[in-house]
């Protein structure tokens, strides 16, 4: 526990920086959750391709990003690319690195959900005369997204927590600012405890929203006719 | 002119000929049932006609037009064939009304209002209009089958294909489906119905095609098939006291 309220006074001196850091964290979380979702849908779409080469390439991409720590990829982009004359800003690296990583996970969740769909619905849609693209956006995607909501919202929560990694590539997000405050006040324990508390509150709010989204998206249960 | 003319249709999977030279006609407004033991190629035949499965060889004329060629507009062909599946295959994420309107809206470019009007007409015709806001998970098997038929009819198809429409239903619901098919017959709807259910075939079909090992062994009325054939296979399948198949 914080020994006394003096820590809050010490920390509040730096509140403009902390607030900016918090805003950066939230902005980055929102961006990568959205770009990761959109890119994940695109990757998932490609996993259904009729081209064997395309499917293998996409599976390779997913395996590489799920099988590699995100920090390695962030360092490759931020510290490795300048060796080849390519210098990206910390925000660009963060968005690019996270998007590619999160998209791979999201695509995997969607594939799992897709495997649980009734294939006869797809056959019925083909028999009605729908194109593959129409079947994807009218039948497959809505059901896959609905079934993936728990996994996708857990990923969004994970994204929020993982953004703390980007302080290692000089991005001034919340954790980086709190690190700065700790260094200035020498109240390492108190400041990191406070940092954890803020993340916990943010994650709790997000978890609550996620559970509401799950309930909202839930289909009516089977009637007694089908039991 | 026949609505559908199937000539020498073959489908092989590897070395196995699932359909081996099938030929028959389906007249406009007529109802034919296709019967035969499990694995004889009945469902494959329906899927070959609407090109869900590509035939290996042979010819299919739909209103006189060859539809097995590479240049055939397969989607247009499928829109002319209403397909009612054994397990209904309703879109689980859509309510009954949306299940029926999605085809007319997205494929026939109807406005939402126009499509809903058409859907309600078909749902009323099948006595399930009051279920329009329900989801498939809330319906009984018979209700799902009716909605599946309404979904097919909403596309104004030239012919309705039924694939084992009663196999998942209890006898009461099976009789309801038979009544619906007879009602469609009286409204001059053309039907091709794959079934294991002789009572259904007898009560709805003008003629029954008996398929075995991918070949047509007989095509006749239900009563003739039951009473006037000496062929052992046909007597075993259709004869008095034949075991349910």
């Amino acid at each position: 526990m914080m020994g006394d309220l003096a820590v809050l006074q010490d920390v509040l001196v730096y509140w403009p920086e902390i607030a900016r850091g918090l805003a950066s964290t939230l902005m980055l979380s929102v961006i990568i959750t959205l770009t990761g979702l959109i890119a994940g849908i695109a990757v998932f779409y490609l996993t259904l391709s009729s081209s064997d080469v395309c499917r293998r390439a996409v599976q390779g991409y997913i395996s590489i990003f799920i099988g590699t720590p995100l920090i390695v990829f962030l360092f490759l982009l931020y510290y490795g690319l300048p060796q080849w004359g390519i210098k990206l800003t910390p925000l660009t690296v963060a968005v690019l690195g996270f998007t590619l990583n999160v998209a791979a996970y999201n695509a995997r969740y969607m594939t799992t959900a897709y495997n649980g769909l009734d294939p006869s619905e797809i056959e019925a849609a083909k028999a009605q005369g729908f194109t593959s693209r129409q079947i994807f956006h009218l039948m497959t995607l809505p059901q896959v997204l609905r079934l993936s909501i728990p996994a996708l919202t857990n990923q969004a929560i994970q994204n929020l927590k993982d953004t703390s990694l980007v302080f290692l590539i000089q991005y001034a997000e919340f954790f980086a600012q709190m690190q700065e405050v700790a260094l200035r006040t020498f109240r390492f324990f108190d400041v990191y405890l406070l940092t954890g508390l803020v993340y916990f509150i943010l994650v709790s709010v997000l978890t609550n929203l996620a559970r509401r989204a799950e309930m909202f998206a839930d289909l009516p249960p089977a009637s007694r006719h089908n039991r | 002119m026949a609505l559908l003319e199937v000539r020498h249709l073959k489908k092989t999977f590897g070395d196995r000929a699932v359909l081996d030279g099938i030929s028959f006609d389906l007249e406009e407004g007529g109802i034919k049932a296709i019967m035969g033991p499990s694995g004889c190629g009945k469902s494959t035949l329906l899927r070959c006609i609407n090109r869900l499965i590509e035939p290996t060889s042979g010819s299919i004329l739909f209103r006189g037009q060859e539809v097995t060629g590479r240049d055939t507009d397969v989607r247009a062909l499928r829109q002319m064939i209403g397909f009612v599946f054994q397990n209904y295959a309703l879109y689980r994420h859509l309510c009954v009304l949306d299940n029926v309107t999605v085809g007319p809206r997205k494929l026939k470019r109807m406005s939402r209002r126009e499509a809903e009007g058409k859907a309600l007409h078909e749902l009323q015709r099948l006595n399930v209009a009051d279920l329009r806001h329900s989801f498939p998970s809330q319906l009984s098997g018979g209700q799902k089958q009716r909605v599946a038929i309404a979904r097919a009819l909403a596309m104004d198809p030239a012919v309705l294909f039924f694939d084992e429409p009663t196999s998942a239903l209890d006898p009461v619901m099976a009789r309801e489906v038979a009544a619906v098919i007879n009602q469609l017959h009286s409204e001059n709807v053309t039907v091709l119905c794959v079934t294991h259910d002789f009572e259904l075939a007898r009560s709805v079909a003008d003629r029954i095609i008996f398929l075995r090992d991918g070949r047509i062994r007989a095509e006749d009325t239900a009563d003739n098939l039951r009473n006037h054939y000496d062929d052992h296979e046909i007597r075993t399948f259709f004869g008095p006291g034949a075991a349910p198949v």
Side-chain angles (χ1 to χ4, degrees):
Chain A
M1 283 294 293
M2 283 168 274
D4 50 55
L5 287 174
V7 65
L8 278 179
Q9 284 179 323
D10 288 352
V11 168
L12 283 176
V13 172
Y14 300 98
W15 78 266
E17 289 90 345
I18 295 171
R20 270 202 300 278
L22 201 55
S24 296
T25 288
L26 291 174
M27 181 190 75
L28 185 60
S29 299
V30 170
I31 291 174
I32 62 176
T33 298
L34 288 176
T35 54
L37 178 64
I38 293 164
I41 290 171
V43 173
F44 166 60
Y45 181 71
L46 293 175
T47 64
L48 305 177
S49 166
S50 54
S51 157
D52 199 37
V53 175
C54 180
R55 281 199 314 275
R56 280 170 192 265
V58 172
Q59 289 304 339
Y61 158 78
I62 293 173
S63 298
I64 287 169
F65 277 89
I66 288 181
T68 315
L70 174 60
I71 192 69
V72 173
F73 195 65
L74 293 175
F75 274 36
L76 262 177
L77 292 175
Y78 191 69
Y79 296 111
L81 284 185
Q83 196 180 323
W84 307 99
I86 303 167
K87 180 113 179 75
L88 302 173
T89 64
L91 178 62
T92 308
V93 168
V95 171
L96 192 61
F98 266 100
T99 300
L100 290 169
N101 182 271
V102 172
Y105 278 96
N106 284 347
R108 181 59 61 84
Y109 303 142
M110 290 182 219
T111 302
T112 305
Y114 176 77
N115 291 336
L117 295 187
D118 182 354
S120 71
E121 288 181 45
I122 306 299
E123 192 183 31
K126 278 187 197 165
Q128 260 195 296
F130 287 105
T131 62
S132 303
R133 200 169 290 181
Q134 284 175 316
I135 291 172
F136 181 76
H137 95 257
L138 293 170
M139 315 303 167
T140 307
L141 190 58
Q143 296 203 61
V144 160
L145 286 179
R146 192 188 292 268
L147 291 170
S148 309
I149 281 179
L152 294 174
T153 51
N154 283 344
Q155 183 62 46
I157 291 165
Q158 193 63 44
N159 294 345
L160 173 67
K161 292 191 288 181
D162 284 351
T163 52
S164 57
L165 278 179
V166 296
F167 105 98
L168 293 168
I169 55 164
Q170 320 300 320
Y171 184 75
E173 46 71 68
F174 176 64
F175 187 76
Q177 297 293 2
M178 293 306 272
Q179 168 85 347
E180 193 64 32
V181 172
L183 287 170
R184 287 188 199 168
T185 60
F186 290 100
R187 287 180 173 273
F188 290 97
F189 185 82
D190 299 330
V191 170
Y192 289 138
L193 196 63
L194 185 63
T195 307
L197 189 66
V198 171
Y199 274 114
F200 179 72
I201 292 168
L202 289 176
V203 167
S204 299
V205 170
L206 206 52
T207 305
N208 197 280
L209 289 174
R211 298 296 91 91
R212 281 167 191 261
E214 281 170 36
M215 283 193 287
F216 179 74
D218 222 9
L219 286 173
S223 73
R224 62 194 163 84
H225 291 301
N226 288 339
R227 285 177 190 159
Chain B
M1 188 171 67
L3 174 81
L4 187 65
E5 297 165 65
V6 177
R7 296 287 176 265
H8 314 297
L9 193 70
K10 280 195 177 189
K11 177 64 193 176
T12 55
F13 291 106
D15 293 338
R16 184 166 172 253
V18 178
L19 299 176
D20 193 7
I22 301 288
S23 297
F24 71 94
D25 291 347
L26 182 62
E27 303 298 325
E28 196 100 39
I31 296 194
K32 275 189 182 170
I34 300 172
M35 297 191 72
S38 298
C40 70
K42 305 184 295 289
S43 295
T44 304
L45 175 57
L46 288 190
R47 283 164 174 77
C48 279
I49 296 171
N50 81 345
R51 304 274 300 270
L52 282 174
I53 294 176
E54 285 301 317
T56 306
S57 64
S59 164
I60 300 167
L61 299 177
F62 198 94
R63 287 187 168 147
Q65 296 284 313
E66 177 60 53
V67 292
T68 52
R70 283 190 166 192
D71 55 344
T72 301
D73 183 346
V74 175
R75 290 182 50 228
L77 171 71
R78 289 175 182 167
Q79 287 178 40
M80 288 191 288
I81 299 173
F83 207 121
V84 180
F85 289 85
Q86 181 176 8
N87 59 349
Y88 330 115
L90 296 177
Y91 308 126
R92 275 183 294 181
H93 62 302
L94 300 179
C95 69
V96 165
L97 189 61
D98 289 343
N99 257 282
V100 183
T101 57
V102 66
R105 284 179 57 218
K106 303 294 177 183
L107 298 170
K108 296 198 160 233
R109 301 280 165 212
M110 278 188 197
S111 66
R112 177 180 284 275
R113 198 174 160 187
E114 198 182 353
E116 286 186 357
K118 174 76 179 155
L120 282 174
H121 169 74
E122 300 302 348
L123 291 169
Q124 273 160 2
R125 188 175 175 183
L126 290 147
N127 284 326
V128 282
D130 54 330
L131 299 170
R132 60 187 175 278
H133 299 304
S134 303
F135 281 83
S137 61
Q138 298 172 299
L139 307 180
S140 69
Q143 289 167 337
K144 284 181 192 173
Q145 192 64 283
R146 283 167 180 264
V147 173
I149 296 169
R151 178 175 70 180
L153 289 172
M155 293 293 289
D156 285 326
V159 56
L160 268 186
F161 284 5
F162 286 86
D163 187 10
E164 304 278 9
T166 57
S167 66
L169 302 177
D170 63 41
V172 176
M173 286 180 182
R175 279 197 293 275
E176 273 187 33
V177 170
V180 168
I181 296 175
N182 275 322
Q183 179 193 334
L184 296 172
H185 192 193
S186 69
E187 294 167 15
N188 212 33
V189 176
T190 310
V191 172
L192 189 58
C193 177
V194 159
T195 182
H196 268 119
D197 181 346
F198 181 71
E199 287 310 316
L200 173 74
R202 183 163 68 174
S203 65
V204 303
D206 307 323
R207 294 172 76 80
I208 297 172
I209 294 169
F210 176 57
L211 213 60
R212 189 177 176 95
D213 299 330
R215 292 183 178 186
I216 292 180
R217 299 303 167 116
E219 181 182 339
D220 211 327
T221 62
D223 288 338
N224 283 346
L225 283 166
R226 171 152 282 187
N227 301 314
H228 299 297
Y229 279 79
D230 289 331
D231 183 283
H232 174 69
E233 285 174 356
I234 295 171
R235 288 195 71 81
T236 307
F237 198 86
F238 293 101
V245 283

